[in-house]
């Protein structure tokens, strides 16, 4: 009998023109989302390609200059001398640390339009490397651009609610529900059959259109991990759909009219998808306001003036602590680059308290967002889709840590040469440290995505259980 109910439900849906209109609308927004995501992803890829070409051209030009002048005739040039290791590490060979594009990046812009996907690594202090990288508005962590993920998080629920707001009330108002229940079938079985059919339609259409959009956006499913990530992407979508169908069933189980059900479900969507994320953003920025950038700049200026005035003293103290780095012969207290880098190190120490407070506030904002995201399945789903697409805040934070690690290695390679006033040669270009991005382990990403999906499933199970209990008292007529 359950099969017969499902078959009748399928016939009713396919005969309804509303379904085809919804399908056309869903296809349109998913294809546009895929196009928009592909365009942004291509712009990033092109930009990174340009940066790598510029870097290679710069290094090749430096190599040519070093080979053309093996005797060191350029040594007299103060600021354009490729034999000066300080200038090589700061300018001539300064590399870019690039965040590789993940296979599913076109499906979710995520944080890629807010956070940098590359850094130019020089001998400057850490503050210069990550200048401008702050989290002024944590709502940026909760919602993204118009892409496939945006459609799934915000518009896909509306499709589900359009198909399920009158799940039981529609037949009740038409007078056919009582006739259906006169057969050997329970109300819970009728509701389950309707949800299965409508859920299969909504999920199936979303997956098909997403897959076509992904292929059109240039997603290479043959690349390592792409197929598994897309399967997980669909899994998160399925879990998210189960939640909204469970909520729709709960609202239907109270026996109210279709109009009332539609209003209640629309209000629930508004609260869960829009109000809660905005409230979380406001709360995060209120509890952890970012210190004034002007205060930071002023502190750096004051610290720089103080350290510069003590430049010779700092340089002498540094060589006293690191005699192995002292140049041969008499120490030149006026050496520009040696003083520059010991002064920068001292400035970093002087402003460390303010820098620490600045970073602590940013971490505090992210902590609030991370904790309160569990109040909204929309936020959890958005974060999961971003994780699978490689555009999550967590991945960009990991990339920054990887860049910082590389920057330390870059400075450790060049600064001893700077302090010894060594001469850089063409052979040194082959010994330069190279940035190799070490991605987050799959189990860490999987635990974040799996944990969020499990929580949504648990909530959906509670809603479904409460619905089954309420259906026992459902007024079939009247």
């Amino acid at each position: 009998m359950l099969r017969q109910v499902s078959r009748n439900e399928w016939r009713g849906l396919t005969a309804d023109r509303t379904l085809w209109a919804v399908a056309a609308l869903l296809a349109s927004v998913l294809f546009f989302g895929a196009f928009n995501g592909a365009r942004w992803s291509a712009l990033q890829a092109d930009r990174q390609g340009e940066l790598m070409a510029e870097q290679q051209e710069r290094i090749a030009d430096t190599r040519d200059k070093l080979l053309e002048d093996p005797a060191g005739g350029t040594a007299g040039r103060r600021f354009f001398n490729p034999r000066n290791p300080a200038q090589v590490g700061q300018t001539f060979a300064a590399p870019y640390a690039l965040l590789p594009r993940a296979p599913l990046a076109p499906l979710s812009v995520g944080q890629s339009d807010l956070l940098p996907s590359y850094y130019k690594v020089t001998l400057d202090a850490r503050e210069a490397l990550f200048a401008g990288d702050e989290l002024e508005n944590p709502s940026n962590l909760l919602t993204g651009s118009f892409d496939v993920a945006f459609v799934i998080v915000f518009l896909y629920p509306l499709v589900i609610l359009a198909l399920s707001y009158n799940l039981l009330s529609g037949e009740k108002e038409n007078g056919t529900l009582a006739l259906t229940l006169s057969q050997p079938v329970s109300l819970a079985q009728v509701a389950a059959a309707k949800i299965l059919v409508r859920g299969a339609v909504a999920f199936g259409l979303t997956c098909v259109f997403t897959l076509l959009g992904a292929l059109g956006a240039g997603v290479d499913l043959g690349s390592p991990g792409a197929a598994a990530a897309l399967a997980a992407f669909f899994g998160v979508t399925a879990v998210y759909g189960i939640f909204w169908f469970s909520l729709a069933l709960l609202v239907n189980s109270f026996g109210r009219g279709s109009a009332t059900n539609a209003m209640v479900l629309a209000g629930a969507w508004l609260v869960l998808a829009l109000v809660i994320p905005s409230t979380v953003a406001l709360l995060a920025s209120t509890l952890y306001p970012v210190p004034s950038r002007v205060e930071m700049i002023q502190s750096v200026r004051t610290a720089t003036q103080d350290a510069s005035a003590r430049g010779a003293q700092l340089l002498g103290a540094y060589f006293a602590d690191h005699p192995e780095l002292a140049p041969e012969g008499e120490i030149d207290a006026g050496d520009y680059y040696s003083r520059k880098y010991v002064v920068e190190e001292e400035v970093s120490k002087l402003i460390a308290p303010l820098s620490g407070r600045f970073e602590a506030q940013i971490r505090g904002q992210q902590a609030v967002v991370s904790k309160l995201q569990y109040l909204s399945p929309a936020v959890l789903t958005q974060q999961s889709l971003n994780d699978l697409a490689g555009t999550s805040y967590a991945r960009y934070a990991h990339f920054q840590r990887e860049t910082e690690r590389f920057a330390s290695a870059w400075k450790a390679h060049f600064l001893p040469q700077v302090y010894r006033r060594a001469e850089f040669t063409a052979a040194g270009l082959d010994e330069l440290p190279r940035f190799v991005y070490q991605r987050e382990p799959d189990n860490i990403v999987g635990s974040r995505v799996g944990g969020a999906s499990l929580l949504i499933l648990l909530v959906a199970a509670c809603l479904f259980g409460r619905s089954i209990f309420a259906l026992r008292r459902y007024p079939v007529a009247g």
Side-chain angles (χ1 to χ4, degrees):
M1 191 62 196
L2 185 61
R3 182 180 300 177
Q4 183 63 38
V5 174
S6 299
R7 188 179 296 117
N8 291 337
E9 182 68 17
W10 169 253
R11 290 171 181 170
L13 274 179
T14 53
D16 190 350
R17 294 181 180 178
T18 303
L19 174 63
W20 303 109
V22 169
L25 178 62
L26 185 62
S28 300
V29 294
L30 281 172
F31 290 159
F32 179 74
F35 168 77
N36 193 41
R39 182 178 58 178
W40 173 251
S41 185
L43 286 174
Q44 282 199 314
D46 291 345
R47 177 56 178 160
Q48 290 193 356
E50 292 171 358
L51 293 175
M52 288 305 297
E54 184 269 332
Q55 175 184 317
Q56 293 170 1
E57 181 180 356
R58 185 163 23 90
I59 292 177
D61 183 61
T62 302
R63 186 186 300 274
D64 291 342
K65 290 179 179 178
L66 290 170
L67 293 175
E68 288 171 2
D69 186 18
T74 57
R77 301 179 185 177
R78 184 176 183 185
F79 294 110
F80 299 96
N81 182 7
R83 295 192 174 278
N84 186 330
Q87 295 179 31
V88 175
Q90 181 69 24
T91 304
F92 296 130
Y96 291 100
L98 304 179
L99 177 63
R101 188 179 73 159
L104 300 190
L107 300 185
S108 179
V109 173
Q111 306 308 303
S112 65
D113 59 342
L114 301 170
L115 302 177
S117 61
Y118 66 88
Y119 294 100
K120 188 174 185 178
V121 178
T122 65
L123 301 180
D124 285 331
R126 180 183 183 277
E127 291 74 24
L129 176 61
F130 299 118
D133 179 31
E134 61 184 85
L135 182 62
E136 290 285 4
N137 184 2
S139 64
N140 293 332
L141 299 175
L142 307 178
T143 58
S145 301
F146 193 94
D147 49 26
V148 171
F150 181 92
V151 173
I152 290 174
V153 171
F154 293 100
L155 303 184
Y156 177 54
L158 295 179
V159 172
I160 293 175
L161 298 184
L163 292 175
S164 58
Y165 77 95
N166 61 347
L167 196 67
L168 297 175
S169 59
E171 286 206 31
K172 177 183 174 181
E173 292 164 356
N174 293 334
T176 58
L177 183 59
L179 181 61
T180 302
L181 295 177
S182 65
Q183 305 298 317
V185 62
S186 67
L187 183 59
Q189 289 177 318
V190 172
K194 287 177 172 290
I195 286 179
L196 286 174
V197 172
R198 300 184 187 205
V201 170
F203 177 68
L205 290 175
T206 301
C207 287
V208 169
F209 296 147
T210 297
L211 178 60
L212 294 176
L215 295 175
V219 173
D220 181 11
L221 296 180
S223 60
L230 185 61
F233 198 92
F234 289 152
V236 170
T237 303
V239 169
Y240 191 50
I242 289 172
F243 167 81
W244 286 105
F245 272 113
S246 298
L247 181 61
L249 178 60
L250 177 63
V251 172
N252 272 269
S253 67
F254 294 134
R256 297 183 178 88
S258 298
T260 302
N261 292 346
M263 290 182 61
V264 172
L265 290 171
W269 175 85
L270 184 66
V271 171
L272 294 175
L274 299 178
V275 175
I276 289 180
S278 299
T279 302
V280 170
L282 178 61
L283 185 63
S285 59
T286 301
L287 292 177
Y288 295 95
V290 177
S292 169
R293 178 68 72 178
V294 174
E295 181 183 0
M296 171 70 80
I297 294 174
Q298 185 59 41
S299 297
V300 171
R301 287 177 179 173
T302 302
T304 301
Q305 291 173 358
D306 176 66
S308 297
R310 298 184 291 115
Q313 177 186 349
L314 292 172
L315 187 60
Y318 184 85
F319 285 137
D321 293 336
H322 304 84
E324 73 282 2
L325 299 180
E328 296 182 3
E330 185 176 347
I331 296 176
D332 181 9
D335 180 64
Y336 173 80
Y337 287 107
S338 296
R339 287 185 58 145
K340 167 182 168 63
Y341 294 120
V342 296
V343 166
E344 284 188 357
E345 184 176 344
E346 180 68 11
V347 170
S348 294
K349 293 179 181 178
L350 292 175
I351 67 171
L354 182 59
S355 298
R357 183 159 60 92
F358 187 87
E359 294 175 0
Q361 294 298 94
I362 295 177
R363 289 194 300 270
Q365 289 187 355
Q366 175 60 22
V368 170
V369 172
S370 298
K371 292 176 181 178
L372 298 185
Q373 66 179 350
Y374 299 104
L375 296 176
S376 170
V379 176
L380 287 173
T381 301
Q382 179 74 66
Q383 301 280 44
S384 296
L385 297 180
N386 289 349
D387 258 326
L388 294 171
T391 57
S392 65
Y393 178 84
R395 186 170 189 250
Y396 279 89
H398 176 72
F399 169 58
Q400 180 172 314
R401 292 190 295 270
E402 288 287 292
T403 302
E404 189 170 358
R405 175 187 58 79
F406 173 69
S408 297
W410 185 259
K411 293 174 71 172
H413 180 80
F414 275 99
L415 290 185
Q417 301 179 53
V418 174
Y419 293 135
R420 295 194 192 101
R421 295 205 293 274
E423 187 175 85
F424 194 84
T425 64
L429 292 174
D430 299 323
E431 301 172 356
L432 296 177
R434 284 171 171 75
F435 179 77
V436 178
Y437 176 71
Q438 300 292 332
R439 69 176 188 175
E440 283 188 289
D442 292 338
N443 63 319
I444 293 180
V445 178
S447 65
R448 288 199 299 263
V449 175
S453 297
L454 180 60
L455 179 60
I456 295 175
L457 275 178
L458 289 175
V459 174
C462 292
L463 295 176
F464 188 81
R466 179 65 180 85
S467 302
I468 297 301
F469 179 79
L471 286 176
R472 297 176 182 177
R473 299 191 301 270
Y474 188 86
V476 176

